[in-house]
Each structure stands twice: as structure tokens, then as C-alpha cells.
Amino acid sequence: MNDHSLIIGLESRLLNAWPSFDYQAYDGWILRLANGYSKRANSATPFLPGATLDDELIDYMIARFVEANVRPTFRLNGVEAHDVDERLKLRGFKEIEATHVLTAPISSEDCERDPEVALEPQVSKRWVREAAGSYGGDKADDETLMKIVSRIRQKAAFATLSLDDRPVAWGLGVVERGYVGLYDIVVAPDLRGIGLGRRVVSSLMAWGCGEGAHTAYLQVREENEIARSLYGALGFGTAYRYTHRVMPGRSSSV
């Protein structure tokens, strides 16, 4: 849980697999901005063991968030200095959305793809529209989602599972240096809980196997016990945990 090399390695892959529109570096922190679509693309994250924060740096990064009309958010993955969380807490930043990064080894038994899951190497407007629509809420912004996934420079697979010619589940796989990251796993709201997401996950893991990946990783909120149980049954375990400290009092989509 405290293996900084593992955390930084996975965080680096995550940064490449889910690109932001703007990146700024500040003394071991990477501040990312993407019009407020998802916290992982709109937050400041430590990438250096022992990365510190003082009031001057906090104020400076807050100003950058405000300029971009994004809620100031610090994403703490355990690499930062031990006093960072308390410092942000004392500044009034609220802790929300604890998240687990899960990993699973990929064995030869995981390398067979589901024939009903179509995988495309390039994103399509249809994939974005359908996936964003099934997410709903703030994540229904298909225009921003398209801008994010169109920036992926690693090898990717956009998955769609169809039943009777109806697309019902979607997912994104991104391969980099032996790992396949699983993103945007979503199922049509009226068909959740019957194993469709599991089929998409398994197919993306099989695709990653074919691309040389030995390990799969994904992120799931700590409160989502159903998803964590599903991934546990697929062999996933927690590699590390991160949480968010957000500035209160500003409305935002992050």
C-alpha cells in the first residue's frame, strides 16, 4: 500500500491513458485541467515521494483552478508528504470520494475474448454518445469525453457489447508498458447487475493479454461495494488508495 514506485508507475500510466487538456508542474505536483470532466483529469496530484505543500503553493494552484473555472481539487495518493492532508484540512478542504486502484495479474486463461464484445482501435462518435448517455449526469457531456479520449496516444481499444443488435455496455482499454488500464466501464441503466460489465472487463483484459500486458488495473470508489466485489471475483486487489480534498463553496462538475 505504500510502494511509491508502484504508485507513481500506475499514476503515470493513468495520466497518459486519461489525458487532460492542460498540464502544469509545481514542485512534485502535476496540476491537470480538462473543463471539469472527472476529478482525475481536473486535480493536482503528487508525482514525487514526499511532495510538500505550503500556503503559497496552495494559493498559487487554487488561482490556476479558479482561472479555469474548475473546483480546486487535490488528489492524494499516498506519495505526498505526511502533513499535506492535514494542511489542506486546516485550509477548509473537504475529503470526498475515496477511491481504490485495483490490479489483477493476467494469466493465459484470461486471454480469450468474448465474441459479442466488439473492439475498435479508434474512438467513434457513436461510442462516445452511447457511453456518455449511459453514464448520465455530469458525465453525459459527450463533447468533452470525445476531446479526452481523442488525446490518448497509447494503444487503445474501445469496447461495445451488443445484445440483439442493441449496444448495452461499453468500456475502454489502454495498454502501456505491460499494463492494461480499464476505463469508462458502463452498462445501460436498465440492464445493470446481470454480468454485462464483467464481460466487457474480461474482453478488455483478453485484448490487453494479446498486446503483451501482464497486469490489469482500474479505479473504483471505495463506497461502491458491489463493483469492488465484482472486481474481487475477477482477481483484482487494492494496490493503493487515493482520496480528494476539494475546496468548498464552489459549484463545479468535478
Side-chain angles (χ1 to χ4, degrees), residues 14 17-19 37-41 123-124 126-136 138-142 144-150 152 157-161 168-174 181-188 192 196-198 200-201 204 217-220 231:
L14 184 155
W18 194 255
Y37 190 97
S38 83
K39 289 182 183 62
R40 59 192 171 206
V123 67
S124 66
R126 178 180 179 179
W127 186 93
V128 169
R129 182 177 65 251
E130 292 171 347
S134 288
Y135 263 122
D138 294 333
K139 286 197 169 183
D141 182 359
D142 56 345
T144 302
L145 177 57
M146 173 63 86
K147 289 179 179 179
I148 288 174
V149 297
S150 295
I152 298 171
F158 295 85
T160 303
L161 169 60
V168 295
W170 302 264
L172 166 62
V174 182
L182 309 179
Y183 296 85
D184 268 18
I185 308 298
V186 61
V187 176
R192 291 174 181 168
L196 301 182
R198 180 180 184 133
V200 172
V201 167
L204 288 172
Y217 72 92
L218 54 82
Q219 300 156 92
V220 62
Y231 294 132

Side-chain angles (χ1 to χ4, degrees), residues 36-221:
Y37 190 97
S38 83
K39 289 182 183 62
R40 59 192 171 206
N42 293 272
S43 55
T45 300
F47 273 82
L48 183 70
T52 60
L53 281 178
D54 57 24
D55 287 338
E56 181 180 9
L57 183 54
I58 293 172
D59 289 339
Y60 192 85
M61 286 199 275
I62 287 173
R64 305 290 76 75
F65 281 114
V66 172
E67 286 172 356
N69 196 32
V70 170
R71 186 179 187 179
T73 302
F74 290 84
R75 185 172 162 277
L76 307 182
N77 56 24
V79 170
E80 70 279 352
H82 65 87
D83 64 336
V84 165
D85 184 64
E86 184 66 19
R87 182 179 290 274
L88 290 170
K89 179 180 178 180
L90 291 173
R91 289 285 301 263
F93 281 75
K94 304 300 182 183
E95 183 177 20
I96 64 169
E97 294 182 16
T99 300
H100 288 243
V101 177
L102 309 180
T103 60
I106 297 176
S107 68
S108 58
E109 298 175 355
D110 300 318
C111 296
E112 184 174 346
R113 284 168 47 180
D114 187 325
E116 293 188 278
V117 177
L119 300 178
E120 298 294 334
Q122 302 293 332
V123 67
S124 66
K125 291 182 178 179
R126 178 180 179 179
W127 186 93
V128 169
R129 182 177 65 251
E130 292 171 347
S134 288
Y135 263 122
D138 294 333
K139 286 197 169 183
D141 182 359
D142 56 345
E143 181 179 353
T144 302
L145 177 57
M146 173 63 86
K147 289 179 179 179
I148 288 174
V149 297
S150 295
R151 284 170 163 77
I152 298 171
R153 296 295 176 260
Q154 317 300 323
K155 185 169 286 188
F158 295 85
T160 303
L161 169 60
S162 297
L163 298 180
D164 297 325
D165 296 323
R166 175 196 169 189
V168 295
W170 302 264
L172 166 62
V174 182
V175 166
E176 181 187 345
R177 293 177 290 147
Y179 285 77
V180 56
L182 309 179
Y183 296 85
D184 268 18
I185 308 298
V186 61
V187 176
D190 60 324
L191 291 173
R192 291 174 181 168
I194 60 173
L196 301 182
R198 180 180 184 133
R199 292 174 64 182
V200 172
V201 167
S202 296
S203 289
L204 288 172
M205 290 176 68
W207 169 79
C209 174
E211 297 297 333
H214 53 71
T215 304
Y217 72 92
L218 54 82
Q219 300 156 92
V220 62
R221 288 189 188 179

Side-chain angles (χ1 to χ4, degrees), residues 15 18-26 30-36 40-44 64-65 67-68 70 147-148 151:
L15 183 148
W18 194 255
S20 296
F21 307 156
D22 184 16
Y23 298 83
Q24 301 172 28
Y26 300 109
I30 301 295
L31 190 156
R32 306 173 67 201
L33 299 167
N35 293 350
R40 59 192 171 206
N42 293 272
S43 55
R64 305 290 76 75
F65 281 114
E67 286 172 356
V70 170
K147 289 179 179 179
I148 288 174
R151 284 170 163 77

